[in-house]
Amino acid sequence: MVLTQEQLEMIQKQLVGLPPEEQQKKMQEILAQLPPEDVEALRQQQCPFCMIAAGKIPAKTVYEDDMVKAVLDINPANKGHILIFPKTHYQLLFTMPDNEVARIFQVANKLSKAVFEIVGAQGTNIFVANGQAAGQNAPHVLVHVIPRFEDDKVGLVWQPKKIEEKEMEEVAAKLKEIKITIGEEKPVVEEAEVEKEETEEEQRIP
Ligand SMILES: [Zn+2]
């Protein structure tokens, strides 16, 4: 299911000239009126990583299988910075089925090992930004493999916060109560919203 050029142009016309926040609001309104198949189609048509997965945007592919694709990041933190992403569109890691999550981290781990040799990395970071608060700017799940070097000035450190013992215990107890099922082979939840698709161009995706 693909939206026609006409449908896309109609949507674009409604958004043009609006400031980014209002564009987002308007987009939500438009999406709310579309049937779910069209929302999914639109999301994929607009998502740069779905386009890369489909070969519509060129990229320096370093690995590909039936579920995931890995490319060099065009704005790397260091030489050899790799992005691994699912070929199916998911916005957040925890909405992915477990078998795809397993695959993406298996591939990330192998590529992480490879960059030690290929670019002479002294270490690697593997990470995911889930949500805007975590610095996610792409509408698609991305697992980053960042080769690290002594004094490379890549900022992934934080100041530890003081959390009261009681609060720590509460959080631990609540987490322990959560029923965790491993091995889900279906998407965990339906993604309801498209966020930030029209304003993502400038800031770097961490
Ligand atoms: Zn996508």
Side-chain angles (χ1 to χ4, degrees):
M1 175 83 203
V2 175
L3 291 188
T4 63
Q5 198 55 36
E6 237 170 54
Q7 281 174 299
L8 283 174
E9 276 168 18
M10 276 226 323
I11 291 170
Q12 276 159 5
K13 249 188 223 160
Q14 294 184 69
L15 298 175
V16 83
L18 295 174
E21 323 80 66
E22 281 179 41
Q23 272 189 354
Q24 268 195 47
K25 230 199 246 164
K26 186 77 199 170
M27 191 71 192
Q28 299 297 345
E29 280 172 32
I30 295 169
L31 289 175
Q33 288 163 8
L34 290 173
E37 319 86 79
D38 285 0
V39 174
E40 186 55 30
L42 183 64
R43 175 183 285 158
Q44 296 195 7
Q45 278 170 274
Q46 296 217 322
C47 172
F49 292 93
C50 285
M51 288 191 215
I52 294 173
K56 289 180 190 155
I57 295 179
K60 294 198 167 39
T61 303
V62 300
Y63 175 87
E64 183 167 7
D65 63 27
D66 58 323
M67 287 184 191
V68 307
K69 188 162 182 164
V71 301
L72 288 187
D73 193 318
I74 54 168
N75 292 306
N78 271 330
K79 187 162 82 176
H81 182 164
I82 300 165
L83 300 174
I84 305 122
F85 52 93
K87 288 185 166 178
T88 304
H89 182 88
Y90 302 101
Q91 187 164 346
L92 299 163
L93 186 69
F94 53 76
T95 63
M96 284 175 63
D98 280 350
N99 57 334
E100 290 183 52
V101 174
R103 177 74 60 83
I104 207 167
F105 280 101
Q106 282 161 350
V107 172
N109 191 38
K110 302 286 182 194
L111 290 171
S112 158
K113 179 170 181 253
V115 294
F116 279 85
E117 192 186 323
I118 306 295
V119 299
Q122 296 164 301
T124 60
N125 286 109
I126 299 177
F127 90 85
V128 179
N130 275 314
Q132 280 182 36
Q136 182 178 18
N137 283 304
H140 197 111
V141 169
L142 300 176
V143 175
H144 295 252
V145 171
I146 303 175
R148 298 300 305 270
F149 306 89
E150 293 282 344
D151 301 320
D152 64 8
K153 309 275 192 298
V154 174
L156 285 171
V157 290
W158 52 86
Q159 286 291 324
K161 293 192 175 64
K162 287 233 180 321
I163 310 287
E164 295 296 323
E165 184 62 20
K166 195 169 154 268
E167 271 185 279
M168 296 273 274
E169 274 170 20
E170 269 173 27
V171 172
K174 280 182 188 163
L175 285 170
K176 238 171 125 181
E177 270 171 33
I178 301 278
K179 188 172 170 285
I180 291 179
T181 317
I182 305 287
E184 297 276 3
E185 300 237 330
K186 284 193 191 124
V188 178
V189 287
E190 288 293 317
E191 289 172 63
E193 298 184 339
V194 177
E195 283 177 41
K196 293 204 62 170
E197 293 210 340
E198 59 285 356
T199 58
E200 84 198 47
E201 63 283 337
E202 278 181 20
Q203 242 185 320
R204 192 48 225 125
I205 305 151

Short mmCIF file of all heavy atoms in Angstrom, two decimals, residues 43-44 46-51 85-91 139-141 197, ligand 1:
data_model
loop_
_atom_site.label_atom_id
_atom_site.label_comp_id
_atom_site.label_asym_id
_atom_site.label_seq_id
_atom_site.Cartn_x
_atom_site.Cartn_y
_atom_site.Cartn_z
N ARG A 43 4.36 6.81 6.69
CA ARG A 43 5.51 6.76 7.59
C ARG A 43 6.73 6.18 6.86
O ARG A 43 7.82 6.71 6.89
CB ARG A 43 5.11 5.89 8.77
CG ARG A 43 6.20 5.63 9.75
CD ARG A 43 5.68 4.71 10.82
NE ARG A 43 4.79 5.39 11.74
CZ ARG A 43 3.89 4.78 12.49
NH1 ARG A 43 3.74 3.49 12.42
NH2 ARG A 43 3.15 5.47 13.32
N GLN A 44 6.49 5.09 6.15
CA GLN A 44 7.60 4.46 5.44
C GLN A 44 8.08 5.28 4.27
O GLN A 44 9.26 5.32 3.97
CB GLN A 44 7.20 3.07 4.99
CG GLN A 44 6.92 2.19 6.19
CD GLN A 44 6.88 0.72 5.85
OE1 GLN A 44 7.18 0.34 4.75
NE2 GLN A 44 6.48 -0.09 6.80
N GLN A 46 8.16 8.41 4.12
CA GLN A 46 8.86 9.60 4.59
C GLN A 46 10.10 9.27 5.39
O GLN A 46 10.88 10.15 5.72
CB GLN A 46 7.93 10.42 5.49
CG GLN A 46 6.75 10.94 4.73
CD GLN A 46 6.36 12.31 5.17
OE1 GLN A 46 6.44 12.61 6.37
NE2 GLN A 46 5.96 13.15 4.26
N CYS A 47 10.26 8.03 5.78
CA CYS A 47 11.35 7.68 6.69
C CYS A 47 12.63 7.43 5.91
O CYS A 47 12.68 6.53 5.06
CB CYS A 47 10.96 6.45 7.49
SG CYS A 47 12.33 5.82 8.46
N PRO A 48 13.69 8.21 6.18
CA PRO A 48 14.92 8.03 5.41
C PRO A 48 15.52 6.63 5.56
O PRO A 48 16.12 6.13 4.62
CB PRO A 48 15.86 9.09 5.98
CG PRO A 48 15.22 9.61 7.21
CD PRO A 48 13.76 9.31 7.13
N PHE A 49 15.32 6.00 6.72
CA PHE A 49 15.94 4.69 6.91
C PHE A 49 15.15 3.58 6.22
O PHE A 49 15.74 2.59 5.77
CB PHE A 49 16.19 4.42 8.40
CG PHE A 49 17.25 5.35 8.90
CD1 PHE A 49 16.93 6.56 9.49
CD2 PHE A 49 18.59 5.05 8.70
CE1 PHE A 49 17.91 7.45 9.89
CE2 PHE A 49 19.58 5.93 9.09
CZ PHE A 49 19.24 7.14 9.68
N CYS A 50 13.83 3.77 6.09
CA CYS A 50 13.05 2.84 5.27
C CYS A 50 13.48 2.98 3.81
O CYS A 50 13.56 1.99 3.08
CB CYS A 50 11.56 3.11 5.40
SG CYS A 50 10.87 2.53 6.96
N MET A 51 13.78 4.21 3.41
CA MET A 51 14.23 4.43 2.03
C MET A 51 15.59 3.80 1.79
O MET A 51 15.85 3.23 0.74
CB MET A 51 14.27 5.92 1.70
CG MET A 51 12.89 6.52 1.56
SD MET A 51 13.01 8.16 0.88
CE MET A 51 11.70 8.98 1.73
N PHE A 85 20.02 -1.04 11.49
CA PHE A 85 18.59 -0.79 11.68
C PHE A 85 17.75 -1.91 11.07
O PHE A 85 18.17 -2.59 10.14
CB PHE A 85 18.19 0.57 11.09
CG PHE A 85 18.61 0.81 9.68
CD1 PHE A 85 17.76 0.51 8.63
CD2 PHE A 85 19.86 1.32 9.40
CE1 PHE A 85 18.15 0.72 7.32
CE2 PHE A 85 20.27 1.53 8.08
CZ PHE A 85 19.42 1.24 7.05
N PRO A 86 16.52 -2.10 11.63
CA PRO A 86 15.63 -3.12 11.08
C PRO A 86 15.11 -2.69 9.72
O PRO A 86 14.91 -1.49 9.48
CB PRO A 86 14.49 -3.19 12.10
CG PRO A 86 14.49 -1.86 12.78
CD PRO A 86 15.91 -1.38 12.77
N LYS A 87 14.88 -3.65 8.83
CA LYS A 87 14.32 -3.30 7.51
C LYS A 87 12.85 -2.93 7.62
O LYS A 87 12.32 -2.21 6.79
CB LYS A 87 14.51 -4.46 6.55
CG LYS A 87 15.96 -4.63 6.12
CD LYS A 87 16.10 -5.70 5.07
CE LYS A 87 17.47 -5.61 4.43
NZ LYS A 87 17.65 -6.68 3.42
N THR A 88 12.19 -3.45 8.65
CA THR A 88 10.80 -3.05 8.92
C THR A 88 10.83 -1.76 9.72
O THR A 88 11.74 -1.56 10.52
CB THR A 88 10.10 -4.16 9.75
OG1 THR A 88 10.22 -5.37 9.04
CG2 THR A 88 8.64 -3.84 10.00
N HIS A 89 9.83 -0.91 9.51
CA HIS A 89 9.82 0.35 10.23
C HIS A 89 9.34 0.18 11.67
O HIS A 89 8.21 -0.25 11.91
CB HIS A 89 8.91 1.37 9.52
CG HIS A 89 8.90 2.70 10.20
ND1 HIS A 89 9.82 3.68 9.91
CD2 HIS A 89 8.11 3.19 11.19
CE1 HIS A 89 9.59 4.72 10.69
NE2 HIS A 89 8.55 4.46 11.47
N TYR A 90 10.19 0.50 12.61
CA TYR A 90 9.82 0.61 14.03
C TYR A 90 10.44 1.91 14.52
O TYR A 90 11.58 2.22 14.17
CB TYR A 90 10.41 -0.52 14.88
CG TYR A 90 10.01 -1.90 14.43
CD1 TYR A 90 10.89 -2.67 13.69
CD2 TYR A 90 8.76 -2.43 14.76
CE1 TYR A 90 10.53 -3.95 13.28
CE2 TYR A 90 8.41 -3.71 14.35
CZ TYR A 90 9.30 -4.46 13.60
OH TYR A 90 8.94 -5.71 13.19
N GLN A 91 9.70 2.62 15.34
CA GLN A 91 10.24 3.87 15.86
C GLN A 91 11.06 3.64 17.13
O GLN A 91 12.06 4.30 17.35
CB GLN A 91 9.11 4.86 16.12
CG GLN A 91 9.63 6.23 16.50
CD GLN A 91 8.57 7.30 16.38
OE1 GLN A 91 7.52 7.10 15.79
NE2 GLN A 91 8.84 8.44 16.96
N PRO A 139 13.14 8.84 12.86
CA PRO A 139 11.87 8.18 13.18
C PRO A 139 11.98 6.67 13.18
O PRO A 139 10.98 5.98 13.27
CB PRO A 139 10.96 8.66 12.05
CG PRO A 139 11.88 8.89 10.90
CD PRO A 139 13.20 9.33 11.48
N HIS A 140 13.18 6.14 13.07
CA HIS A 140 13.40 4.70 12.87
C HIS A 140 14.42 4.22 13.90
O HIS A 140 15.38 4.94 14.20
CB HIS A 140 13.94 4.52 11.45
CG HIS A 140 13.88 3.14 10.89
ND1 HIS A 140 13.04 2.80 9.85
CD2 HIS A 140 14.59 2.02 11.17
CE1 HIS A 140 13.24 1.52 9.53
NE2 HIS A 140 14.18 1.03 10.32
N VAL A 141 14.25 3.02 14.43
CA VAL A 141 15.22 2.45 15.38
C VAL A 141 16.61 2.39 14.76
O VAL A 141 16.77 1.89 13.65
CB VAL A 141 14.81 1.01 15.79
CG1 VAL A 141 15.94 0.33 16.56
CG2 VAL A 141 13.54 1.02 16.60
N GLU A 197 8.82 13.84 11.94
CA GLU A 197 9.33 13.44 10.64
C GLU A 197 9.68 14.64 9.78
O GLU A 197 10.55 14.57 8.93
CB GLU A 197 8.32 12.57 9.93
CG GLU A 197 8.18 11.26 10.68
CD GLU A 197 7.81 10.11 9.80
OE1 GLU A 197 7.32 10.37 8.70
OE2 GLU A 197 8.01 8.98 10.22
ZN ZN B 1 11.52 3.71 8.81
#
